[in-house]
Amino acid sequence: MEENSIKNQDRLDIEADLENLPVVTDFVEQRVRKLNSSQKEVSQTLIVTEELFANIASYAYGQDTGMATLIVEISRDDNSIEITFIDSGVRYNPLDKEDPDITLKAKERQKGGLGIFFVRKKVDSIIYRYEEGKNILTIEKTFRGNDR
């Protein structure tokens, strides 16, 4: 990392429970607001965060509960955020799922898949890896800082 670059990294370890969703979104929002971001960009980032955390809370551990970790790194140099979601639940790569056919009527589509489809559309990159028994999903987004 360059000497003048301004990067901050924060970590949140939290029980993967839907009741903790407000804590997770607040954690991310506090970091996003440190960047030059529009309200639309903040909202989209929070919806992406909700979707990914809710998937971990709902599916990673089956009927049990487990932990989730969020690592948020902001870079003021390029006005960007990187959020990494980590869990030790069932191995699952959401990027393997095909995009839903959004040309079909809602009742004709298969259940599921819209959330990750939305996530893909609202971030600049999304990467999944599985290491040492952990699902690791990282998203990156650069903010333009104005409402369009």
Side-chain angles (χ1 to χ4, degrees), residues 69-111:
T69 298
L70 273 76
I71 300 172
V72 177
E73 183 173 296
I74 63 169
S75 172
R76 292 192 178 147
D77 287 349
D78 60 3
N79 204 42
S80 68
I81 191 167
E82 178 180 287
I83 307 171
T84 300
F85 298 81
I86 305 169
D87 69 77
S88 299
V90 175
R91 183 177 187 164
Y92 179 67
N93 180 355
L95 305 181
D96 284 345
K97 191 165 180 69
E98 281 188 39
D99 286 344
D101 183 351
I102 58 173
T103 63
L104 297 175
K105 293 180 181 176
K107 61 184 175 185
E108 295 172 348
R109 282 184 284 214
Q110 289 184 0
K111 185 180 178 192

Side-chain angles (χ1 to χ4, degrees), residues 24-59:
V24 170
T25 55
D26 184 56
F27 174 76
V28 171
E29 183 175 12
Q30 287 178 28
R31 277 110 195 120
V32 171
R33 296 240 182 242
K34 293 178 182 178
L35 298 168
N36 178 22
S37 54
S38 69
Q39 184 54 49
K40 181 178 179 181
E41 291 170 321
V42 171
S43 296
Q44 289 175 347
T45 304
L46 295 179
I47 292 169
V48 164
T49 299
E50 287 177 14
E51 176 63 28
L52 295 174
F53 183 78
N55 281 347
I56 293 170
S58 300
Y59 305 114

Side-chain angles (χ1 to χ4, degrees), residues 7-30:
K7 287 190 177 192
N8 294 326
Q9 187 181 81
D10 295 299
R11 177 184 177 118
L12 174 67
D13 294 301
I14 193 163
E15 186 177 0
D17 187 307
L18 290 175
E19 289 182 12
N20 289 328
L21 198 50
V23 175
V24 170
T25 55
D26 184 56
F27 174 76
V28 171
E29 183 175 12
Q30 287 178 28

